[in-house]
């Protein structure tokens, strides 16, 4: 390698600042802030490093500091939004740093003029975000200069100028960069830096919110990040009684529990083989007799959930109260509690053949492994329901289904994948396979269980976390990362929930009076 090429080759390194870096830092500050007081003294830098060494970050090139970002941790409530730079930094001494504070406060970022255009500021901002997350702080706040405002001060207010910068009608060398790095403007503050004539002493109060912040972090019992799902692709086979049915159910619950799954999902009408005992009856009468088993099965499911330490989404079963026949899915939590979700939309065949009626409520359920929703089969084909659940911060949508033909299955499958993308959640679906020759209206089955995700860089390229073989009795077990959902909703390539035009439209649930 030639000597000239060696001199041109960069060797960038991100690290914490040392006191021995002072000369390099002073040179950069003098060149940038010549009209605003110049550089700190060496004694001031020493105090800053003593107060919070982890928060003082730099980038070096071949051993020379070329960019730096400085910060402190503060109890932000002590200062509020109407502070000045000198107040919150202790006049540059950083004696306002508080190890027990809740906010990372950015005090300065600067880059050597010879290195502009290399996006070093972005690296420093990313390092600050990482520090904020690792320290479990609520957010990063900073007072941002608006040096471009001096050209427009006689024409418009700072607020109007900021709106133009947000809309990319005007470029500001500081604010445009900060907005591009996911900071938002909380307000305009005055007299922040009285010496900043270019900004007319105005500043933007900027905030970046740490989406991973946990206010009361516990040693045990925290919300899970990685959740393991177990889906049962159930084979329809003859069972002579409930004991036979539950023996097969327990086999699968035991299996997914052995893989330490947090959830076990069963299909819609997994108990349909018990209809064989009523095959001499009219179909509507037979399914009402099947409903007589539901309470017993739910009770035994709940016992399995507790004893095998897994939350069971018990597919669905018929429920008959003497007046209404409905299709209901039970959530049997491993702490012994239960909830249920009725199927809301009834297919024409279910209505005419059995006399099924739809429920009238929809819920998101809290569990020890995230907030979950349940849509039974046909319900997933109505996008409004998924959106209503998403607005209640659902993490995982479970879809137990029963379909007889491939085209029926593909309706459920395609719509479930859409719900995952548009609502930025995971969707788990499973059905039954095989056949029941002597059970009218439940004779053939088609299924391919799967877990779907949003479609972005943090997820599988095809948005399929896992998928079973078609029409085979099996299970699939896979992990989903709930933290990735949080990241997707705030920093994804597209943000379907955040960027809805709520000024133009909304989805509303009409409460029954």
């Amino acid at each position: 390698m030639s000597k000239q090429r060696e001199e041109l080759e960069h060797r960038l390194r991100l690290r914490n600042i040392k006191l021995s870096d002072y000369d390099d830092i002073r040179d950069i500050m003098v060149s940038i802030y010549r009209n605003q007081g110049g550089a700190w003294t060496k004694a001031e830098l020493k105090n800053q490093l003593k107060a919070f060494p982890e928060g003082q970050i730099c980038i070096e090139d071949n051993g020379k500091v070329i960019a730096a970002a400085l910060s402190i941790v503060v109890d932000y409530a002590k200062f509020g939004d109407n502070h000045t730079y000198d107040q919150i930094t202790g006049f540059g001494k950083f004696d306002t740093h508080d190890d027990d504070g809740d906010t990372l406060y950015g005090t300065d970022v600067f880059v050597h003029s010879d290195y502009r255009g290399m996006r070093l500021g972005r690296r420093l901002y990313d390092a600050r975000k990482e520090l904020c997350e690792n320290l479990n702080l609520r957010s990063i706040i900073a007072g941002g200069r608006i040096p471009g405002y001096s050209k427009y001060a006689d024409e418009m207010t700072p607020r109007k100028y900021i709106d133009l910068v947000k809309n990319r009608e005007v470029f500001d060398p500081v604010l445009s960069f900060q907005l591009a790095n996911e900071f938002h403007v909380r307000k305009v503050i005055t007299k922040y830096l009285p010496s900043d004539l270019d900004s007319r002493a105005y500043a933007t109060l900027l905030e970046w919110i740490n989406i991973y912040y946990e206010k009361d972090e516990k040693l045990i019992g925290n919300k899970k990040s990685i959740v393991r799902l177990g889906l049962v692709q159930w084979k329809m086979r003859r069972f002579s009684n409930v004991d036979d049915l539950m023996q097969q159910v327990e086999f699968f619950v035991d299996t997914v529990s052995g893989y330490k799954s947090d959830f076990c999902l069963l299909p819609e009408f997994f108990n349909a083989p018990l209809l064989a005992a009523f095959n001499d009856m009219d179909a509507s009468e037979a399914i009402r007799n099947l409903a007589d088993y539901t309470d017993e099965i739910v009770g035994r499911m709940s016992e399995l959930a507790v004893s095998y330490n897994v939350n069971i989404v018990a597919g669905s079963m018929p429920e008959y109260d003497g007046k209404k026949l409905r299709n209901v899915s039970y959530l049997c939590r491993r702490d012994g509690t239960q909830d249920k979700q009725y199927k809301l939309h009834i297919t024409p065949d279910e209505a005419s053949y059995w006399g099924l009626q739809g429920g009238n409520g929809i819920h998101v359920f809290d569990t020890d492994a995230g907030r979950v929703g349940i849509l039974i089969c046909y319900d997933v084909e109505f996008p409004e329901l998924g959106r209503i659940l998403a607005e209640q911060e659902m993490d995982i949508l479970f879809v137990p289904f029963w379909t007889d033909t491939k085209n029926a299955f593909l309706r459920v499958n395609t719509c479930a994948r859409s719900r995952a993308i548009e609502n930025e959640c995971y969707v788990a679906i499973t059905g039954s396979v095989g056949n029941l020759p002597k059970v009218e209206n439940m004779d053939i089955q088609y299924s391919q269980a799967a877990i779907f995700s949003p479609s972005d860089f943090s997820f599988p390229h095809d948005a399929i976390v896992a998928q079973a073989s078609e029409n085979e009795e099996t299970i699939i077990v896979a992990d989903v990362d709930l933290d990735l959902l949080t990241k997707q909703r705030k920093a994804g390539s597209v943000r379907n929930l955040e960027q809805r035009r709520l000024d133009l439209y909304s989805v509303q649930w009409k409460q029954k009076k």
Side-chain angles (χ1 to χ4, degrees):
M1 183 182 294
S2 68
K3 182 177 180 181
Q4 182 180 13
R5 184 176 176 185
E6 287 180 355
E7 291 174 350
L8 293 174
E9 187 176 67
H10 294 295
R11 293 184 176 87
L12 301 181
R13 178 187 173 210
L14 180 74
R15 61 172 174 82
N16 287 111
I17 293 173
K18 300 176 290 187
L19 189 59
S20 58
D21 298 319
Y22 176 72
D23 290 343
D24 293 341
I25 290 173
R26 179 199 58 205
D27 292 345
I28 302 172
M29 294 188 72
V30 167
S31 66
I32 294 174
Y33 301 131
R34 64 175 64 92
N35 297 323
Q36 299 172 48
W40 298 306
T41 66
K42 192 169 186 177
E44 286 174 327
L45 180 61
K46 183 177 181 179
N47 288 335
Q48 293 165 358
L49 295 176
K50 182 179 179 181
F52 184 37
E54 299 86 355
Q56 320 319 323
I57 304 164
C58 70
I59 297 174
E60 67 169 39
D61 184 17
N62 290 300
K64 180 181 178 67
V65 174
I66 57 169
L70 294 97
S71 58
I72 54 176
V73 175
V74 297
D75 181 352
Y76 191 71
K78 292 180 179 179
F79 299 93
D81 288 347
N82 294 313
H83 58 268
T84 68
Y85 182 84
D86 286 340
Q87 287 171 344
I88 205 160
T89 65
F91 292 87
K93 297 190 296 292
F94 286 14
D95 55 7
T96 51
H97 172 75
D98 184 351
D99 286 328
D100 296 322
D102 62 353
T103 301
L104 187 69
Y105 194 90
T107 63
D108 212 341
V109 174
F110 46 82
V111 178
H112 194 290
S113 58
D114 292 345
Y115 289 82
R116 302 267 169 84
M118 293 179 63
R119 296 181 172 83
L120 301 184
R122 183 179 294 274
R123 296 196 194 195
L124 292 170
Y125 268 53
D126 287 345
R128 266 188 185 164
K129 293 173 184 177
E130 182 181 2
L131 179 65
C132 181
E133 291 171 359
N134 290 338
L135 292 176
N136 190 38
L137 300 174
R138 181 179 57 81
S139 65
I140 301 174
I141 287 182
R145 301 175 61 235
I146 45 175
Y149 178 59
S150 60
K151 300 177 183 178
Y152 300 87
D154 296 335
E155 306 172 25
M156 64 186 70
T157 64
R159 185 172 299 278
K160 176 63 175 177
Y161 173 76
I162 291 167
D163 286 340
L164 290 175
V165 175
K166 285 181 179 178
N167 294 330
R168 304 180 74 87
E169 299 290 340
V170 170
F171 175 79
D172 184 275
V174 176
L175 180 56
S176 295
F177 168 76
Q178 291 164 329
L179 294 174
N181 279 276
E182 301 172 337
F183 280 75
H184 70 273
V185 179
R186 282 176 50 154
K187 65 173 295 183
V188 178
I189 46 181
T190 60
K191 300 179 182 178
Y192 181 71
L193 277 171
S195 61
D196 184 7
L197 300 180
D198 289 338
S199 303
R200 296 294 196 267
Y202 291 107
T204 55
L205 187 66
L206 297 148
E207 183 174 32
W208 176 84
I209 296 172
N210 176 14
I211 57 179
Y212 303 117
Y213 172 61
E214 295 285 347
K215 185 175 181 181
D216 297 310
E217 193 167 359
K218 299 178 288 186
L219 295 178
I220 60 173
N222 284 309
K223 177 184 175 182
K224 295 175 71 73
S225 171
I226 305 299
V227 175
R228 183 160 294 176
L229 307 182
L231 281 57
V232 178
Q233 187 155 276
W234 174 265
K235 183 177 180 179
M236 291 293 193
R237 51 167 62 83
R238 293 292 295 271
F239 297 113
S240 58
N241 51 49
V242 174
D243 287 339
D244 285 349
L245 173 79
M246 292 306 300
Q247 184 178 41
Q248 190 66 24
V249 169
E250 184 170 4
F251 166 79
F252 281 115
V253 171
D254 184 12
T255 301
V256 300
S257 173
Y259 290 107
K260 301 188 185 308
S261 297
D262 296 294
F263 290 96
C264 176
L265 174 65
L266 292 164
E268 180 182 24
F269 286 133
F270 68 94
N271 64 337
L274 297 177
L275 279 169
F278 313 112
N279 210 38
D280 57 340
M281 300 179 182
D282 177 83
S284 61
E285 184 182 0
I287 199 164
R288 283 163 174 77
N289 276 274
L290 180 65
D292 290 340
Y293 295 127
T294 295
D295 285 346
E296 179 184 356
I297 294 172
V298 172
R300 293 173 71 167
M301 282 282 191
S302 190
E303 292 174 1
L304 292 177
V306 172
S307 60
Y308 285 99
N309 191 31
V310 60
N311 300 298
I312 300 175
V313 181
S316 81
M317 293 169 275
E319 176 189 273
Y320 183 55
D321 63 2
K323 297 180 180 179
K324 289 185 177 181
L325 176 70
R326 293 184 288 190
N327 188 357
V328 60
S329 178
Y330 281 86
L331 170 63
C332 301
R333 298 183 185 86
R334 52 188 165 192
D335 66 1
T337 60
Q338 297 175 10
D339 269 306
K340 62 183 178 180
Q341 174 63 59
Y342 288 104
K343 188 173 185 177
L344 303 187
H345 297 89
I346 305 304
T347 66
D349 184 67
E350 290 169 335
S352 63
Y353 203 77
W354 288 330
L356 272 171
Q357 298 183 50
N360 55 16
I362 192 168
H363 313 279
V364 170
F365 306 110
D366 284 311
T367 74
D368 59 4
R371 289 172 61 79
V372 306
I374 303 171
L375 293 179
I376 302 172
C377 198
Y378 191 32
D379 279 345
V380 80
E381 298 177 32
F382 295 83
E384 298 90 345
L385 299 183
R387 181 50 48 85
I388 289 168
L389 293 172
E391 289 175 341
Q392 298 175 49
E393 300 181 343
M394 173 184 64
D395 299 310
I396 306 167
L397 175 61
F398 291 104
V399 182
F401 69 87
W402 172 80
T403 54
D404 53 355
T405 61
K406 188 169 185 177
N407 62 316
F409 160 74
L410 287 175
R411 288 196 297 268
V412 172
N413 177 281
T414 304
C415 291
R417 297 179 73 171
S418 298
R419 301 300 84 84
I421 292 170
E422 68 199 15
N423 296 308
E424 296 169 332
C425 65
Y426 295 105
V427 179
I429 69 170
T430 196
S432 53
V433 302
N435 58 77
L436 289 170
K438 294 186 178 181
V439 176
E440 192 175 356
N441 206 40
M442 299 289 290
D443 45 357
I444 58 173
Q445 329 285 322
Y446 193 103
S447 174
Q448 186 176 26
I451 302 169
F452 304 121
S453 72
S455 182
D456 211 336
F457 299 117
S458 297
F459 302 96
H461 74 279
D462 56 2
I464 301 175
V465 177
Q467 190 166 243
S469 299
E470 294 174 89
N471 291 331
E472 292 184 7
E473 184 175 38
T474 187
I475 63 168
I476 56 174
V477 177
D479 290 341
V480 295
D481 188 341
L482 303 189
D483 282 348
L484 290 181
L485 297 180
T486 306
K487 179 180 178 181
Q488 175 67 27
R489 292 162 185 166
K490 292 295 182 181
S493 299
V494 293
R495 303 164 200 172
N496 296 73
L497 287 177
E498 183 183 86
Q499 297 181 321
R500 288 171 293 156
R501 288 292 304 276
L502 297 179
D503 57 322
L504 301 178
Y505 60 85
S506 64
V507 177
Q508 294 182 331
W509 183 263
K510 294 182 178 180
Q511 295 292 339
K512 195 170 184 179
K513 296 182 180 180

